[in-house]
Amino acid sequence: MLLEVTDLHVFYGRIEAIKGISFGVGEGEITTLIGANGAGKTTTMRTISGVRTVTQGSVIFDGQDITKMAPHDRVKLGICQAPEGRGIFPGMTVRENLDMGTYVRGGDSAQKAADLAHVFHLFPRLEERISQLGGTLSGGEQQMLAIGRALMSRPRLLLLDEPSMGLAPMLIAQIFEIIKQINSEGISVLLVEQNATQALRVAHRGYVLETGYVVKDGSGHDLLEDPAVRAAYLGG
Amino acid sequence: MKKSVLRAGATLLALSLVGVACGGGDDASGNGCEGDLKIAFFGALTGDAGNLGINIKKGLDLAVAQHNAENADNQLVVEAYDSQGDPDQAPALADKAIADPCVVGIVGPAFSGESAAVNPKFEEAGLPIITPSATNPDLSKNGWDIFHRALAGDDKQGPGAAAKIVADGKMKVGVVDDNSEYGKGLADIVQESLGDKAVELNSLDPEASDYSAIITAAKDAGVDAVFFGGYYAAAGKLAKQMADAGVTATFYSGDGTLDVGFIEAAGPAAEGAILTCTCAPFDTNPEFLKAFQDANDGENPATYAAEAYDAASVFIAAIKDGKTTRADILEFINGYDAAGVTKQLKWDETGEVTGSAVYAYEIKDGAIKGIGLIE
Amino acid sequence: MPDWLIIRTFWDLTVTGLALGSIYALVALGYTLVYGVLRLINFAHSEIFMVGTFGSLLASSQFLNIPLLEDGNYPYRAGMTLIFFLVVILIIAMVFSGISAVLLERVAYRPLRGNGDSIGAVALAFLTAFIVSLIFIDDTQVNVIISLVLTAPIAYSYLRIFKRGRKAPRLAFLISAIGASTAIAEAVGVWGTHGRDQYQTARILEKKTVFNLFGTDVRIDYVIVIVGALLMMTALTLFVNKTRLGRGVRAVAQDAETSRILGVNVDMIIIVTFALGGVMAGGAAMLFTLVYDQTRFNIGFILGVKSFTAAVLGGIGNLKGALLGGLVLGLVENYGSAIFGGQWKDVIAFTVLLVVLMFRPTGLLGESLGKARV
Amino acid sequence: MSTIGNAFAPVRDAFDSIGDAFHRMNQWQKYSFYAIVIIALYLAPFWTDIPVIGPIVDTPGTQFSTVLNDQVIIFVLVALGLNVVVGLAGLLDLGYVGFYAVGAYVTAILTSAHGNLPWLLSLPIAVVVSMLFGVILGAPTLRLRGDYLAIVTLGFGEIIRLTAKNMDWLGASRGISNIKKPPSIFGLKFGVIDPKPYYYLGLTLVLIVVFVLHRIEYSRVGRAWVAIREDEDAAELMGVHTFKFKLWAFTIGAAVGGLAGVHYAGKVGFINPDNFPLQLSILFLAAVVLGGSGNMYGAILGGVLVAYVPERLRNFADKRVFVFGVVLVLMMVFRPEGILPKRVGDEHKKRQRSSQNEEVAQ
């Protein structure tokens, strides 16, 4: 397992948002967490990024305990997130936003140029918009930018929080295509989605979250077929 | 828990009542003093204008120390009320002084602003005051019986300064003030006395750092002298910036500037500046000078120290004469007529000292030099 | 054309207004940087400036050993010596201001963010012990010794309290800032060698006229101030836009949460922000002493209020706005003084601010540190 | 990480439990408690005569009963008014001294400089004029958010002070003297020396203001203020006419500030522009936040502390302002909501505390 989360508890003040969940992301796999609003998906993501502190439990990445590690050190290890709501810097250009992906890594300009070319290859639209301010992009473009920015950090594990939120169906399909493509290049992906059908279709493994607990897990395919999951999350 | 809250309240109430019972409305103005009589200093010892207050207190301390050395059986105490020159803080201090029956006289209040705030209190309490430094002319116009000034007011100094400026042959005089009660009052009198020789340059903010707008106006008017009404720190900044801007006009100012702080702040630009004061030069009286130097490690008495010494001497004379109540001492002062170290000390009914003079000082070789009386 | 003072002396007023405005602008940058990143009025920034002026005072009097006067005249220097001295004074002033700004953040702000560390705990512990001992003994040396002894245990308990930390409401930051501002100024006023009096700084630059602008003599010190301020501001803008840390500052200003996710160390960026603001204030302080060669414990207050006004006038959080606001304010004050008289200077400044904000509620150039570009 | 707040939790809990005990009292007990406290307060000038307590409360160097009126009562009144603006409506006002000055100056003008009205008659006029100034300042500026409002109000306070300093009609830097005193009543003589009658009057004004503000706070207006403070946009969406209520907060705050000015002018009999410096606004704000912004009783406590502590500390005269500054920082570090934070329903309180735990970089 590349990422192993064991018995995770997270509090917001006195409210326990995550009540002891365990899951893992295999090397080179796409893993998805599905669940309704408030199930704790985003909190889980933020905990893995290190933005939220853990009350109890452990997070192991590539055999290393990162439970208490600062966020910027996790990015160094290769965990990078495209956050919920995309988190585009509105006052920076597309180029500058992408550069923020390399903030921790630094690295030489040749490497950066290669990464940039790779991102533009995945998202040709971004290249067209290169000197436009992030705040002026459309929702789909912002999502591409968020994923592109995360890729700039050369992640081993890419965290995607609701990449399909608020996008038109055409774009959603496109985004999931790209996720598959990214994964095929060897990057492990942890995907959090309300759009469970699509997510389970691309995922190797899936976990169902309900109000802070994991209630079910299995391969993406199995969960898609599971009648209870179908009833609850897949609209019949 | 609820009981304890109630009980706490009740205890407080009971204690207060006890307090009322044993407090008793004793009035302060009688001579219920047990212990040594006190002469109080009232003014700034700390804060922005602390220097002047310290000068005054040194004069007062010297007078009391001399008396105590000579009269072992009749010791006096100096009580200091540090108002920081702030009219907002002064009333609570004045009330404390009034409430202390041992305080029979006050050397102060040092500044005109705080005087306006607290003198009505001293008047009502019948507590005599002799100020060695508050020179605002309006102060003597309130009909306060307790009020005395150990030096002439700005209504004397202003015309004196103007006369000096005219005597020096200046034709066009820019008049600036620091917008304080003292500074503006003095500058207005100077401007009036100068008549059409005066060019009004308005006020500056003494706390500000840059006076270029005013200096530009002075340059534009082509003045050959500038009179500044205000205190030494701002005066120093103004004189220096004027010199830097190439204004060659002679710098004139009043007693608020008569401090080494002016020379420090203005540097070489202070050279040749003329300052006026109704206070006497420190070396007017050699005997006093020597005593002061002996008591203060050879230091010369600075502005108002001699006036404070005079003021204290009058109170001491009253006490030596057997007067111990505020009323008796006040009566004694009002009838007083004797020579002090700075001048003949005799007050008219408004509290202005008679036979006062205006002295001129010049900054020469980085020091203040008395250049004599202004006629 | 009417024969008004403002017209006769227009260029004179312009030059001096721009010089003062440049200093406002440099100090305003500190307000704007911190506001941009933390949405906090760093009320104590004025004292950072004040500390900088004392830094340049110490630099010239202690490190460079320059007397105030040599044979009754200013100790002018020339040529390379002059440049070397000016640079040394500038650097020392910047170091003083920069370090005090960073310390200020540790002591007065960081604990309120629920994030206090040992430096803040030690400083607060020392101050606690000091003021408590003041109640019983009024002898500074004894107080300091007592406080040093008590610092460790108090700091230890403070650190434990910090560990459970939570974020304070916004107003608490402002009051903490006000408290820090008061304490810093008063500390200098009480324990400085001259107390509350003015201090003179050595004048090593002879204030010669260098050129003539429409009949107005322009002095070298004004030129240095204006050019120096512009250079420093350009350097800052380049830093913010072109360097990695600078990008971090902009990123945190725009979206602190996402910045953290992307691996920006927000605490580090906040330190950088305070340090940058402090360094600019230190530069302003050096230029200030160059023109006025004096300082005082409360010199920061008025200048701080003006600089903050400048920052808001230009659009707080906006670097270009700070420059524009500073220069506009410097000019408006001077022109206004010429028209209405010097005593109305501050009234004019605040009225202009009011009017500008009524029509442009976020200042002349609007908010946002992120949008500030060269 | 532990989530139980800070080490002052015991202190806070103690305050809470006193509060809870108070809330459990029945009507009769409450009223007798009020009565005891109020009587004790009216007797405050005599506290210095109580054996053990006296030396503890007495202010060295200054007259305790003068401090009670000139400093404490004024600060309490002002803090009450400013609490409406800052604590209830959440509008950051750094120029509150302006309203205080307006109240004092109107009284000075009407009773001495340009009129001969009795003090009592000048009181309502001054309060109304202060409210007008509240509207004049508020109407154009209340559209500004947070920190912009702060600097504009700061400027307003300075404009008022400097205008008074520069206009001869307002006495310029000389100020205005011979301001009339309150009329003698119930055998209380409002003279020059004895501060006690002023204190009784001031305390009465404080009680009236507390009563009125209490009524307002629990009315529709008060609820609207809280809604604005918590989330202005949401309040607007809920149909709260935010501008109107903000203006009300400003105006009511101005009225109380003006009232404090009237009381001050009547007591000291002499005012000049230097009585109303910018620093005073900052101290006023410190009083409100120190005591507990949003809680009227917190504001009162803050006013008492900010006014009284520096007087009590006169022993180390020139260091007391330094000490005050350090104490402000320490208070904010360890008790950021003030000494008596606003009391909210328990559910709400929990939510609030937990949301304060959110670790966002502001």
Side-chain angles (χ1 to χ4, degrees):
Chain A
M1 282 281 173
L2 182 63
L3 178 81
E4 256 188 283
V5 173
T6 316
D7 191 29
L8 189 72
H9 292 260
V10 181
F11 280 78
Y12 276 94
R14 288 178 180 170
I15 298 159
E16 191 172 18
I18 306 286
K19 302 166 184 170
I21 62 171
S22 303
F23 66 93
V25 179
E27 182 92 55
E29 283 188 349
I30 299 180
T31 304
T32 184
L33 303 179
I34 60 173
N37 259 338
K41 295 173 302 196
T42 295
T43 307
T44 309
M45 287 299 236
R46 288 154 59 101
T47 310
I48 297 171
S49 274
V51 179
R52 286 226 66 88
T53 40
V54 177
T55 313
Q56 194 190 319
S58 70
V59 182
I60 312 274
F61 181 76
D62 199 19
Q64 188 182 354
D65 187 346
I66 61 166
T67 315
K68 296 209 157 122
M69 191 181 269
H72 51 272
D73 290 328
R74 300 186 196 210
V75 178
K76 268 183 213 155
L77 287 182
I79 303 177
C80 196
Q81 190 184 152
E84 188 189 18
R86 298 153 200 146
I88 299 304
F89 298 110
M92 291 189 184
T93 62
V94 168
R95 174 67 201 262
E96 287 173 320
N97 263 288
L98 289 171
D99 280 348
M100 283 307 295
T102 63
Y103 184 84
V104 169
R105 181 166 57 98
D108 61 86
S109 47
Q111 268 187 351
K112 275 188 198 166
D115 290 340
L116 205 59
H118 179 58
V119 169
F120 287 152
H121 171 70
L122 286 174
F123 306 106
R125 284 292 288 278
L126 293 183
E127 191 163 17
E128 295 164 25
R129 301 267 185 266
I130 185 156
S131 46
Q132 208 167 312
L133 286 182
T136 64
L137 299 181
S138 74
E141 289 164 345
Q142 288 195 349
Q143 190 59 61
M144 294 173 188
L145 181 54
I147 297 173
R149 187 177 59 189
L151 286 177
M152 289 294 287
S153 74
R154 298 198 163 180
R156 293 179 61 197
L157 173 64
L158 178 64
L159 309 175
L160 296 175
D161 196 348
E162 305 270 10
S164 74
M165 190 166 63
L167 299 185
M170 266 268 290
L171 273 170
I172 296 180
Q174 204 183 335
I175 293 279
F176 278 99
E177 257 335 288
I178 289 169
I179 293 171
K180 263 170 48 188
Q181 199 179 337
I182 292 167
N183 178 242
S184 70
E185 290 165 8
I187 298 171
S188 313
V189 176
L190 177 60
L191 173 65
V192 152
E193 260 302 337
Q194 282 203 62
N195 192 336
T197 317
Q198 290 276 19
L200 290 173
R201 238 174 239 159
V202 298
H204 301 96
R205 194 190 300 262
Y207 295 84
V208 181
L209 256 65
E210 254 171 40
T211 58
Y213 298 101
V214 171
V215 292
K216 192 158 272 188
D217 69 285
S219 75
H221 182 75
D222 289 350
L223 288 175
L224 262 179
E225 300 298 310
D226 188 303
V229 174
R230 290 186 72 93
Y233 301 105
L234 306 178
Chain B
M1 182 53 90
K2 63 190 169 192
K3 285 274 166 49
S4 70
V5 176
L6 261 178
R7 204 177 301 140
T11 315
L12 196 56
L13 175 67
L15 284 170
S16 305
L17 289 170
V18 170
V20 177
C22 54
D26 58 339
D27 196 69
S29 56
N31 55 349
C33 174
E34 292 163 18
D36 298 330
L37 292 180
K38 293 174 182 169
I39 301 175
F41 163 81
F42 197 102
L45 289 175
T46 58
D48 294 353
N51 266 4
L52 293 174
I54 290 168
N55 295 347
I56 293 169
K57 185 158 179 296
K58 280 181 181 162
L60 166 60
D61 284 341
L62 176 62
V64 170
Q66 285 177 346
H67 167 83
N68 286 349
E70 289 161 16
N71 302 278
D73 56 334
N74 181 9
Q75 295 288 294
L76 294 175
V77 177
V78 174
E79 181 89 25
Y81 293 94
D82 178 11
S83 64
Q84 304 191 329
D86 178 359
D88 233 9
Q89 294 193 33
L93 291 157
D95 287 344
K96 190 81 167 185
I98 289 165
D100 184 345
C102 295
V103 174
V104 291
I106 288 188
V107 176
F111 297 98
S112 301
E114 61 186 359
S115 298
V118 300
N119 285 4
K121 287 175 178 292
F122 294 137
E123 171 73 7
E124 184 147 322
L127 178 54
I129 61 174
I130 304 177
T131 176
S133 55
T135 50
N136 191 297
D138 291 344
L139 290 176
S140 60
K141 294 174 188 155
N142 289 288
W144 295 322
D145 193 32
I146 47 98
F147 177 78
H148 307 84
R149 244 202 277 255
L151 71 181
D154 293 338
D155 46 351
K156 294 267 170 21
Q157 184 185 181
K164 173 72 181 156
I165 294 170
V166 173
D168 288 351
K170 306 296 178 189
M171 299 308 293
K172 208 166 193 186
V173 186
V175 180
V176 196
D177 62 71
D178 68 348
N179 218 350
S180 72
E181 189 169 5
Y182 153 76
K184 189 157 180 16
L186 178 59
D188 286 350
I189 296 166
V190 170
Q191 188 176 337
E192 203 178 310
S193 314
L194 284 170
D196 56 7
K197 287 199 175 68
V199 180
E200 185 170 353
L201 294 177
N202 295 317
S203 309
L204 51 78
D205 175 359
E207 298 282 315
S209 312
D210 183 90
Y211 300 143
S212 53
I214 285 209
I215 292 164
T216 301
K219 241 160 105 176
D220 178 66
V223 296
D224 54 6
V226 167
F227 180 86
F228 173 68
Y231 296 101
Y232 59 86
K237 287 186 274 185
L238 179 64
K240 177 155 71 179
Q241 290 183 25
M242 268 172 41
D244 289 347
V247 178
T248 51
T250 313
F251 191 85
Y252 290 84
S253 189
D255 54 343
T257 301
L258 191 61
D259 189 282
V260 286
F262 168 67
I263 303 170
E264 268 169 35
E271 280 301 302
I274 309 283
L275 311 173
T276 57
C277 186
T278 55
C279 56
F282 70 87
D283 48 3
T284 307
N285 185 311
E287 209 176 312
F288 166 72
L289 178 64
K290 177 153 189 324
F292 190 95
Q293 285 171 334
D294 289 348
N296 291 288
D297 299 329
E299 196 184 305
N300 283 331
T303 312
Y304 306 135
E307 280 72 18
Y309 180 84
D310 272 351
S313 308
V314 177
F315 286 120
I316 290 169
I319 293 164
K320 267 188 173 159
D321 199 46
K323 309 285 187 284
T324 55
T325 67
R326 292 170 179 179
D328 290 348
I329 291 173
L330 177 58
E331 202 189 328
F332 180 88
I333 298 171
N334 284 340
Y336 192 80
D337 186 2
V341 300
T342 62
K343 58 182 77 69
Q344 186 73 13
L345 297 171
K346 176 179 172 20
W347 283 276
D348 67 14
E349 65 280 6
T350 64
E352 295 286 9
V353 72
T354 53
S356 61
V358 184
Y359 298 86
Y361 299 80
E362 187 182 2
I363 309 298
K364 217 168 173 190
D365 303 328
I368 301 171
K369 298 251 154 60
I371 52 173
L373 273 169
I374 299 170
E375 299 306 327
Chain C
M1 203 175 262
D3 184 38
W4 290 339
L5 180 65
I6 178 170
I7 292 174
R8 291 198 306 272
T9 60
F10 183 80
W11 292 105
D12 233 327
L13 296 169
T14 305
V15 172
T16 50
L18 284 177
L20 188 59
S22 305
I23 292 172
Y24 287 160
L26 281 177
V27 180
L29 285 174
Y31 288 101
T32 264
L33 279 165
V34 171
Y35 186 87
V37 170
L38 282 174
R39 296 280 175 270
L40 155 74
I41 304 177
N42 179 11
F43 213 88
H45 186 61
S46 49
E47 309 317 323
I48 302 302
F49 168 82
M50 183 270 288
V51 169
T53 62
F54 279 88
S56 35
L57 172 72
L58 287 178
S60 62
S61 68
Q62 305 302 140
F63 298 103
L64 299 174
N65 233 334
I66 310 170
L68 280 181
L69 291 174
E70 280 169 351
D71 307 325
N73 231 318
Y74 292 118
Y76 290 132
R77 298 287 183 274
M80 286 314 287
T81 327
L82 174 67
I83 292 172
F84 172 72
F85 278 15
L86 290 181
V87 169
V88 168
I89 295 173
L90 176 70
I91 290 172
I92 291 176
M94 283 176 160
V95 167
F96 264 69
S97 289
I99 289 178
S100 55
V102 171
L103 268 179
L104 169 76
E105 194 269 329
R106 286 291 171 91
V107 176
Y109 301 139
R110 192 153 162 175
L112 275 81
R113 295 210 312 273
N115 211 359
D117 65 353
S118 50
I119 295 178
V122 167
L124 286 171
F126 177 79
L127 288 171
T128 311
F130 188 74
I131 62 169
V132 171
S133 69
L134 261 182
I135 296 174
F136 302 103
I137 309 150
D138 192 8
D139 177 334
T140 304
Q141 271 176 334
V142 178
N143 291 143
V144 169
I145 293 166
I146 295 175
S147 315
L148 285 175
V149 172
L150 291 176
T151 294
I154 301 178
Y156 177 74
S157 58
Y158 279 4
L159 210 52
R160 289 181 60 112
I161 298 172
F162 287 170
K163 284 248 166 62
R164 309 178 203 165
R166 63 209 163 106
K167 212 166 111 40
R170 275 175 64 93
L171 261 180
F173 283 85
L174 187 68
I175 299 298
S176 180
I178 289 170
S181 169
T182 313
I184 297 171
E186 283 295 321
V188 174
V190 172
W191 289 286
T193 51
H194 285 43
R196 289 161 193 275
D197 287 344
Q198 247 170 49
Y199 293 75
Q200 305 303 317
T201 60
R203 175 189 285 205
I204 55 171
L205 174 74
E206 189 173 2
K207 296 180 178 174
K208 284 186 292 206
T209 301
V210 276
F211 63 89
N212 192 293
L213 177 77
F214 303 105
T216 294
D217 294 336
V218 180
R219 266 163 37 199
I220 180 86
D221 51 329
Y222 288 138
V223 176
I224 294 179
V225 167
I226 296 169
V227 173
L230 288 177
L231 281 178
M232 282 167 57
M233 236 168 276
T234 312
L236 177 72
T237 320
L238 283 176
F239 181 87
V240 168
N241 281 312
K242 301 291 176 198
T243 67
R244 179 166 161 273
L245 277 176
R247 263 192 292 138
V249 171
R250 289 174 59 208
V252 174
Q254 291 179 34
D255 188 338
E257 189 75 6
T258 302
S259 306
R260 276 161 61 107
I261 285 173
L262 291 176
V264 179
N265 183 345
V266 172
D267 279 323
M268 176 70 182
I269 291 299
I270 289 171
I271 291 171
V272 168
T273 307
F274 273 87
L276 284 176
V279 165
M280 292 293 134
M286 182 270 177
L287 295 174
F288 179 89
T289 52
L290 192 68
V291 181
Y292 304 110
D293 27 70
Q294 47 98 10
T295 182
R296 211 174 157 213
F297 79 105
N298 65 355
I299 198 129
F301 187 77
I302 288 194
L303 203 120
V305 167
K306 288 293 176 56
S307 302
F308 180 54
T309 307
V312 175
L313 189 65
I316 193 162
N318 182 329
L319 297 184
K320 259 201 303 189
L323 173 62
L324 182 68
L327 297 182
V328 166
L329 195 69
L331 290 175
V332 161
E333 283 191 0
N334 258 9
Y335 297 151
S337 299
I339 299 173
F340 301 100
Q343 67 270 40
W344 294 102
K345 190 167 91 170
D346 293 358
V347 176
I348 296 158
F350 286 121
T351 310
V352 167
L353 176 77
L354 254 167
V355 172
V356 168
L357 287 186
M358 271 163 69
F359 292 102
R360 292 190 66 89
T362 53
L364 290 171
L365 296 185
E367 282 189 31
S368 171
L369 185 58
K371 283 176 191 155
R373 306 178 55 78
V374 187
Chain D
M1 193 210 288
S2 156
T3 56
I4 320 292
N6 62 30
F8 283 76
V11 181
R12 186 181 64 211
D13 292 346
F15 274 117
D16 284 354
S17 56
I18 291 178
D20 290 340
F22 186 73
H23 279 263
R24 275 199 306 273
M25 281 199 237
N26 64 32
Q27 241 12 44
W28 180 87
Q29 284 170 316
K30 266 189 196 173
Y31 285 132
S32 43
F33 177 73
Y34 287 142
I36 290 172
V37 169
I38 288 171
I39 293 172
L41 286 178
Y42 271 102
L43 294 172
F46 300 100
W47 286 358
T48 47
D49 299 324
I50 304 171
V52 180
I53 295 176
I56 298 175
V57 298
D58 200 2
T59 49
T62 46
Q63 185 75 353
F64 181 68
S65 45
T66 313
V67 169
L68 275 182
N69 182 70
D70 289 17
Q71 267 83 20
V72 174
I73 286 288
I74 295 292
F75 262 78
V76 166
L77 269 179
V78 167
L80 279 169
L82 186 56
N83 182 47
V84 173
V85 183
V86 176
L88 296 182
L91 304 167
L92 184 49
D93 187 343
L94 282 180
Y96 194 68
V97 74
F99 301 120
Y100 174 56
V102 166
Y105 263 95
V106 170
T107 300
I109 290 165
L110 291 178
T111 68
S112 169
H114 302 286
N116 202 15
L117 291 184
W119 178 87
L120 203 55
L121 210 59
S122 81
L123 189 147
I125 301 175
V127 170
V128 168
V129 174
S130 302
M131 291 172 89
L132 270 179
F133 269 83
V135 174
I136 291 171
L137 170 65
T141 59
L142 280 178
R143 268 171 255 277
L144 300 172
R145 287 267 165 129
D147 304 305
Y148 289 90
L149 186 65
I151 184 73
V152 167
T153 48
L154 183 151
F156 169 78
E158 278 295 273
I159 289 175
I160 298 234
R161 180 180 70 86
L162 290 167
T163 305
K165 201 175 173 85
N166 289 313
M167 279 181 62
D168 275 332
W169 195 78
L170 293 172
S173 44
R174 285 189 316 281
I176 299 174
S177 48
N178 300 320
I179 300 167
K180 290 231 177 65
K181 310 261 165 218
S184 293
I185 187 172
F186 304 136
L188 291 177
K189 187 182 171 304
F190 288 88
V192 181
I193 298 175
D194 187 9
K196 288 196 279 296
Y198 296 96
Y199 171 72
Y200 301 141
L201 173 68
L203 184 59
T204 312
L205 290 177
V206 168
L207 293 175
I208 293 170
V209 169
V210 167
F211 179 75
V212 171
L213 290 183
H214 191 85
R215 296 298 293 264
I216 295 175
E217 201 177 318
Y218 290 95
S219 71
R220 204 171 63 90
V221 182
R223 284 194 300 275
W225 285 340
V226 173
I228 292 170
R229 182 188 62 207
E230 297 302 323
D231 188 337
E232 191 171 338
D233 292 328
E236 185 89 59
L237 287 173
M238 299 285 290
V240 177
H241 193 330
T242 56
F243 181 76
K244 187 177 88 182
F245 285 105
K246 275 158 73 176
L247 198 55
W248 265 117
F250 237 69
T251 317
I252 291 170
V256 180
L259 181 68
V262 175
H263 180 61
Y264 178 75
K267 165 68 176 27
V268 295
F270 163 76
I271 55 168
N272 81 14
D274 295 338
N275 290 352
F276 309 99
L278 179 53
Q279 282 89 339
L280 207 51
S281 282
I282 290 166
L283 281 184
F284 291 161
L285 185 68
V288 172
V289 180
L290 192 64
S293 172
N295 178 355
M296 194 157 60
Y297 302 98
I300 291 176
L301 181 65
V304 170
L305 287 179
V306 170
Y308 171 77
V309 169
E311 292 298 329
R312 183 69 191 81
L313 297 182
R314 235 168 217 283
N315 286 0
F316 35 95
D318 60 333
K319 298 187 190 75
R320 64 205 173 111
V321 187
F322 169 78
V323 172
F324 175 75
V326 175
V327 168
L328 277 190
V329 176
L330 288 172
M331 278 300 304
M332 289 302 110
V333 168
F334 295 114
R335 201 167 166 79
E337 286 101 0
I339 300 167
L340 293 176
K342 52 182 170 272
R343 228 188 129 75
V344 275
D346 277 355
E347 259 320 291
H348 185 74
K349 184 159 36 179
K350 257 182 217 153
R351 226 180 311 133
Q352 201 189 12
R353 278 184 195 155
S354 64
S355 71
Q356 273 154 358
N357 267 317
E358 293 242 24
E359 37 191 304
V360 187
Q362 240 206 311

